[in-house]
């Protein structure tokens, strides 16, 4: 996201669904078809002259994340994005047809972020090593707006090592742990007073070895004479929010830490060596928790910041309420 004075970053990326137009760039969500989702059934014709459900256009999914067959971090939600709005009256039924199974019992719930996106997250982080399956059995299910599901989808994925990063904005440090063991403490700089970094827990959306970042793409400045203007391609980028927060290396802040204390445009800066090392440690869904910033917590739907909502807040956005995963 960016640094002060030409420093940091925001990506020029046009990506669908979750990524939108992002500040520090990002990758797109995969479609809920092909390698991302397995179609497990098709609409079957009825022999009855009168259908049991009204005819209508299909209810389809844009994406299901994480992608099938992937290994993700302990904070990764299951995120389902519908192609068309789902009415409030239909959400409890839709949730009941989005079945989550796991190799060990996990309590969790769905939460609607608007009328097209529903996320399922555990009450606390996933246990490392858990195998997870999502069965979206939507055949014949109404979205409450005249559309009906025409087939089902299924995804399986695995929760990998418990890798976490805890960032102290005021302390200029990032502590990286794996399965409860401290791996390294890294020096960082975060946002400036003018462009503070988001606080809270954000699961990694994706990572890229290089991202093109510009101040104009996120509305900071399109004036090349401005001290806040930048147009850079920067390496070792860990994507945290849809609005453009990254952990990465910046040419404008090559030796971050309390000694330099150079503020960014909202991203977290690491040295080149630390950025490359950290890039090799993290995966989609690993939680990065930032504290000490005056900006406040990132909204839950700004990427995968689901754990920024307390459990009661999370349940308030669920139609079917808390559930325990079925046995896989």
């Amino acid at each position: 996201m960016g640094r002060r004075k030409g420093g940091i970053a925001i990506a020029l990326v046009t990506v669908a669904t979750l990524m939108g137009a992002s500040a520090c760039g990002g990758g797109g969500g995969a479609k809920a078809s092909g390698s991302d989702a397995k179609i497990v059934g098709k609409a079957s014709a009825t022999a009855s002259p009168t259908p049991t459900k009204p005819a209508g256009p299909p209810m389809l999914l844009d994406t299901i994340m994480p992608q099938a067959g992937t290994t993700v971090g302990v904070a990764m939600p299951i995120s389902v994005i519908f192609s068309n709005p789902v009415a409030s009256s239909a959400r409890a039924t839709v949730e009941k047809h989005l079945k989550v199974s796991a190799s060990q019992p996990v309590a969790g719930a769905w939460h609607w972020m608007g009328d097209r996106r529903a996320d399922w997250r555990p009450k606390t982080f996933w246990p490392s090593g858990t195998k997870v399956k999502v069965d979206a059995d939507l055949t014949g299910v109404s979205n409450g707006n005249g559309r009906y599901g025409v087939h089902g989808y299924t995804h399986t994925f695995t929760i990998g090592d418990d890798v976490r990063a805890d960032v102290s904005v005021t302390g200029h440090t990032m502590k990286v742990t794996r399965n409860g063991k401290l791996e390294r403490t890294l020096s960082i700089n975060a946002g400036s007073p003018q462009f503070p970094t988001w606080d809270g827990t954000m699961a990694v959306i994706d990572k890229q070895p290089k991202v093109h970042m510009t101040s104009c793409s996120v509305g900071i400045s399109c004036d090349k004479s401005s001290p806040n203007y930048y147009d850079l391609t920067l390496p070792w980028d860990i994507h945290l929010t849809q609005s453009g927060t990254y952990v990465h290396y910046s040419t404008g802040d090559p030796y971050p830490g309390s000694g330099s204390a150079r503020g960014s445009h909202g991203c977290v800066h690491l040295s080149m060596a630390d950025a490359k090392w950290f890039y090799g440690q993290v995966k989609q869904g690993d939680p990065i928790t930032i504290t000490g910033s005056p900006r406040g917590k990132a909204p839950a739907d700004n990427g995968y910041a689901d754990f920024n909502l307390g459990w009661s807040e999370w349940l308030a956005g669920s139609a079917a309420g808390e559930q325990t995963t079925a046995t896989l």
Side-chain angles (χ1 to χ4, degrees):
M1 233 188 107
R3 311 158 160 91
R4 68 181 269 225
K5 294 198 171 184
I8 240 173
I10 294 168
L12 215 43
V13 192
T14 1
V15 190
T17 34
L18 180 60
M19 300 318 127
S22 92
C24 274
K31 292 291 180 181
S33 60
S35 62
D36 186 15
K38 176 184 177 185
I39 296 176
V40 296
K42 295 182 178 179
S44 57
T46 175
S48 169
T50 304
T52 56
K53 289 184 169 59
M59 175 176 68
L60 300 173
L61 305 184
D62 271 354
T63 61
I64 301 177
M65 295 297 285
Q67 292 186 355
T70 54
T71 297
V72 297
V74 296
M76 184 68 197
I78 299 164
S79 190
V80 178
I81 298 181
F82 293 83
S83 299
N84 300 95
V86 176
S88 298
S89 59
R91 291 176 192 172
T93 300
V94 169
E95 286 181 35
K96 289 175 182 177
H97 284 81
L98 298 173
K99 180 183 176 183
V100 181
S101 304
S103 58
Q104 53 185 305
V106 177
W110 291 97
H111 179 97
W112 290 84
M113 299 185 183
D115 56 10
R116 292 182 59 235
R117 176 178 169 185
D119 282 13
W120 195 98
R121 54 151 272 210
K123 189 173 183 178
T124 57
F125 290 159
W126 293 99
S128 181
T130 304
K131 308 290 185 183
V132 185
K133 182 180 181 182
V134 187
D135 287 304
D137 181 16
L138 297 173
T139 304
V141 177
S142 171
N143 73 348
N145 288 317
R147 292 178 177 269
Y148 290 83
V150 293
H151 53 65
Y153 306 80
T154 185
H155 271 220
T156 57
F157 60 93
T158 302
I159 308 301
D161 281 353
D162 185 347
V163 177
R164 309 185 191 193
D166 292 289
V167 176
S168 169
V169 171
T170 55
H172 298 279
T173 59
M174 172 193 283
K175 293 184 178 181
V176 183
T177 62
R178 181 180 295 272
N179 299 323
K181 178 184 176 182
L182 179 65
E183 295 282 291
R184 290 190 188 181
T185 299
L186 310 176
S187 294
I188 66 97
N189 283 330
S192 66
Q194 185 181 2
F195 301 103
T197 305
W198 286 112
D199 252 353
T201 297
M202 291 148 277
V204 172
I205 297 172
D206 57 32
K207 63 181 184 178
Q208 298 175 47
K210 291 182 180 180
V211 171
H212 182 202
M213 302 182 177
T214 76
S215 56
C216 191
S217 67
V218 288
I220 290 178
S221 178
C222 296
D223 178 3
K224 292 183 179 181
S225 66
S226 168
N228 285 310
Y229 178 84
Y230 53 85
D231 185 343
L232 300 165
T233 297
L234 297 171
W236 311 123
D237 305 284
I238 310 299
H239 192 188
L240 298 187
T241 67
Q242 180 182 351
S243 60
T245 307
Y246 281 77
V247 177
H248 65 161
Y249 169 76
S250 168
T251 53
D253 188 14
Y255 304 107
S258 57
S260 65
R262 299 185 65 183
S264 74
H265 286 103
C267 288
V268 175
H269 297 170
L270 295 168
S271 70
M272 177 68 85
D274 286 348
K276 184 176 181 179
W277 176 83
F278 186 59
Y279 185 91
Q281 303 304 305
V282 296
K283 59 190 173 298
Q284 183 185 44
D286 285 339
I288 296 180
T289 300
I290 299 174
T291 57
S293 175
R295 189 174 187 180
K297 291 183 178 180
D301 62 349
N302 190 359
Y304 299 129
D306 300 53
F307 282 93
N308 281 347
L309 293 180
W311 190 237
S312 60
E313 294 176 291
W314 188 261
L315 291 179
S318 175
E322 183 176 330
Q323 55 190 260
T324 299
T325 55
T327 302
L328 183 59

